[in-house]
Amino acid sequence: MPQWAQGADKVRELLDLGDLQKIQGADTDGQPLLDKAVRTLLSAAVLCDEDPDSSYTLAYDAARFACTALLAQQGLRPTSKGGHYAVEQAMRAQFQGHFRGFGTLRRRRNELEYPSAQEVATTPAEARDAHIEARSIVEAAGKLMPHLSFF
């Protein structure tokens, strides 16, 4: 049982649906994922002007790694069934605030990865905005992580 009430019902629902699963041992250390988020965010910044599509995708990946780090710290991880959407749902239900932008990043990243039109490319300005949003998520995750307990 989590020490927080906000979002607990949604997390239980995601577990019951098989979109999240419980983990144990070394997998519950979210710090390596948070460190990866920071490195990925740095890579995203380098590519903003030269390759904005890749920059956007990397910014999203950084945000996802940060969110997954929070789940790991709680003894949880998304399954292949739940995927990135389960991460979004868990973050939105539990933490809201700085994590609201994760859904927008996820949806736009999907448009870039799975285009339905010929011209879906992003701009350097959009990539920079994604980087700013992802940085906010990574920073918020870093502040939250020490305060989390197992679900």
Side-chain angles (χ1 to χ4, degrees):
M1 182 74 177
Q3 293 180 357
W4 62 95
Q6 186 166 332
D9 290 341
K10 184 62 174 181
V11 170
R12 277 198 272 307
E13 176 187 336
L14 292 167
L15 285 164
D16 291 344
L17 291 170
D19 292 344
L20 291 178
Q21 66 186 35
K22 290 189 177 188
I23 56 174
Q24 299 177 2
D27 291 339
T28 63
D29 180 4
Q31 191 61 52
L33 282 167
L34 189 60
D35 294 342
K36 186 174 184 175
V38 171
R39 289 190 310 272
T40 304
L41 192 59
L42 291 171
S43 297
V46 171
L47 296 173
C48 279
D49 291 322
E50 296 299 319
D51 187 359
D53 285 357
S54 294
S55 176
Y56 194 103
T57 299
L58 285 170
Y60 166 73
D61 284 342
R64 180 175 50 86
F65 292 142
C67 293
T68 304
L70 294 178
L71 289 174
Q73 202 70 19
Q74 296 174 82
L76 302 167
R77 79 169 156 218
T79 64
S80 58
K81 177 182 180 279
H84 299 196
Y85 185 54
V87 175
E88 177 187 345
Q89 290 179 298
M91 292 300 103
R92 203 173 46 217
Q94 292 183 87
F95 307 120
Q96 300 170 350
H98 289 288
F99 298 91
R100 287 189 183 132
F102 182 75
T104 301
L105 290 173
R106 184 187 64 78
R107 286 184 296 278
R108 179 64 173 130
R109 177 267 184 187
N110 285 350
E111 291 172 358
L112 295 170
E113 292 288 312
Y114 312 106
S116 60
Q118 286 293 74
E119 194 60 41
V120 296
T122 190
T123 64
E126 187 181 14
R128 282 190 289 278
D129 288 346
H131 184 270
I132 291 166
E133 183 66 43
R135 184 177 62 227
S136 173
I137 290 169
V138 171
E139 289 172 357
K143 290 175 185 172
L144 268 172
M145 197 154 53
H147 305 285
L148 297 178
S149 60
F150 288 131
F151 188 84

